Amino acid sequence: MIKYQWLVIVVLIGCIVSFASCNKTQQLKVSVVPDVEPAEIVEQETTDIIPVDPIDGSVDVLIYIGKTLWISPENAENEAEMTKFLLESESVQVEITKSKEAVRDWMLQTTANGVVNVCILYGILPSTIYPSGNAQPDGSVAENWIETTDGDTILNHADYFGYNSSEGTANERGAMQNLMDLPEIEIDVYEHNVPMYVTAEGSRLAPSMVHFSSDRPFPLDQLEDEWFAEKILASNTGNTQQATLADPIIVRDGDRGRLAIVFHTLYKNNPKAEVAAQIINYLLTQ
């Protein structure tokens, strides 16, 4: 009997030890799980943002592709990359950016630096260089940039130059009027597919030029004050004398800066990169 009593006691002691051991193991497993909220993990991931590198002032040409109109973002990026490739093969320093702040900082660095610089846009005017809704009619970064005798040039593809801002607010005709200080100048927004015929100087300056149809040709008969047509690459007459509309065209404010309208077209497949590179090669040698 005593033998069985001892056996029961041994079994009970074993159960107690086993139960205590199980509790201890359970506690150890729980202790290795980190006490972190899911929101904290997401926040850590989203705050790891790579800052935009500033564009050095030694860059000759800056191409902005942050927003586009009348050309898809993918096509604009392809055109920008091709323009960069063609110009760099001629030892021109080119950068492409999606940052409107980088455009502003680069323009401030290159204003009145004594050399020609070119900024390429694709139908959108960054609000950092010209505040949206024509909020700064005079003295904007862009206006100051083209009003020095450097000969700096804003070259615009696709939609109406300056009509649309990177903020999604339309400047309409005001941007071009204010930047040129010509309050009456405006491009006809109601006529599309205007035939443009390559001029003789267009063939010489840009061998890649071909006849095409423009959706926003530049009105030559509205140039006033010191603004003049420096180069007409294609016009509605195929020459530079009797023409009233032009695209591509380089217009200049006396001995100051320039605007270049290059293929103002609605989602059309034009040789934008090739002609832009050829125009810029001309500009940088002036």
Side-chain angles (χ1 to χ4, degrees):
M1 184 68 178
I2 294 174
K3 176 180 178 181
Y4 288 111
Q5 287 177 343
W6 276 107
L7 182 61
V8 170
I9 291 171
V10 169
V11 170
L12 287 174
I13 291 173
C15 289
I16 292 171
V17 171
S18 176
F19 180 76
S21 176
C22 288
N23 281 347
K24 184 175 181 181
T25 303
Q26 180 75 11
Q27 290 171 359
L28 287 174
K29 287 183 179 179
V30 172
S31 65
V32 298
V33 177
D35 186 18
V36 180
E37 294 292 330
E40 293 179 14
I41 297 172
V42 173
E43 182 180 355
Q44 178 65 28
E45 292 176 355
T46 56
T47 54
D48 187 19
I49 299 173
I50 301 173
V52 176
D53 291 331
I55 307 297
D56 189 88
S58 64
V59 168
D60 301 305
V61 178
L62 183 62
I63 307 176
Y64 173 69
I65 58 171
K67 287 192 176 181
T68 67
L69 267 178
W70 283 15
I71 182 172
S72 70
E74 296 78 16
N75 284 345
E77 187 165 357
N78 290 338
E79 294 288 353
E81 292 288 353
M82 176 59 72
T83 306
K84 178 180 169 70
F85 171 78
L86 292 170
L87 288 172
E88 287 185 337
S89 68
E90 300 289 336
S91 300
V92 178
Q93 295 188 58
V94 184
E95 290 292 345
I96 300 171
T97 185
K98 293 184 178 180
S99 167
K100 60 187 179 181
E101 289 77 19
V103 177
R104 175 200 58 211
D105 295 345
W106 175 79
M107 275 196 174
L108 291 173
Q109 289 182 74
T110 56
T111 298
N113 65 347
V115 298
V116 176
N117 295 101
V118 181
C119 178
I120 299 178
L121 308 174
Y122 291 90
I124 291 289
L125 185 59
S127 61
T128 52
I129 62 173
Y130 181 85
S132 62
N134 307 305
Q136 190 179 6
D138 289 309
S140 65
V141 171
E143 184 175 13
N144 291 339
W145 193 68
I146 62 171
E147 285 193 344
T148 74
T149 55
D150 289 352
D152 292 334
T153 306
I154 300 176
L155 189 156
N156 185 69
H157 294 293
D159 201 0
Y160 192 136
F161 167 69
Y163 201 94
N164 296 286
S165 170
S166 58
E167 300 306 302
T169 304
N171 302 315
E172 298 187 353
R173 299 163 176 83
M176 191 170 74
Q177 292 169 346
N178 291 330
L179 289 173
M180 298 181 74
D181 289 323
L182 297 179
E184 302 301 322
I185 195 167
E186 61 179 75
I187 293 173
D188 188 350
V189 298
Y190 300 106
E191 191 170 8
H192 290 265
N193 295 315
V194 180
M196 291 286 115
Y197 304 100
V198 181
T199 63
E201 68 177 2
S203 295
R204 288 193 299 269
L205 190 151
S208 297
M209 273 301 305
V210 294
H211 303 323
F212 73 105
S213 294
S214 175
D215 296 304
R216 294 290 184 269
F218 187 89
L220 293 169
D221 55 355
Q222 294 182 31
L223 288 171
E224 295 179 357
D225 298 336
E226 295 187 62
W227 283 95
F228 68 98
E230 182 176 354
K231 294 292 179 182
I232 299 174
L233 283 71
S235 72
N236 58 331
T237 62
N239 58 48
T240 58
Q241 287 75 38
Q242 291 81 29
T244 57
L245 299 170
D247 178 11
I249 183 174
I250 305 167
V251 295
R252 189 168 188 179
D253 185 12
D255 63 349
R256 291 175 288 276
R258 304 171 170 98
L259 298 180
I261 304 304
V262 183
F263 296 117
H264 264 185
T265 55
L266 176 62
Y267 296 103
K268 290 176 182 173
N269 184 23
N270 314 115
K272 295 180 178 68
E274 292 87 345
V275 172
Q278 289 160 357
I279 288 174
I280 291 169
N281 280 324
Y282 157 78
L283 294 172
L284 297 183
T285 59
Q286 301 307 299

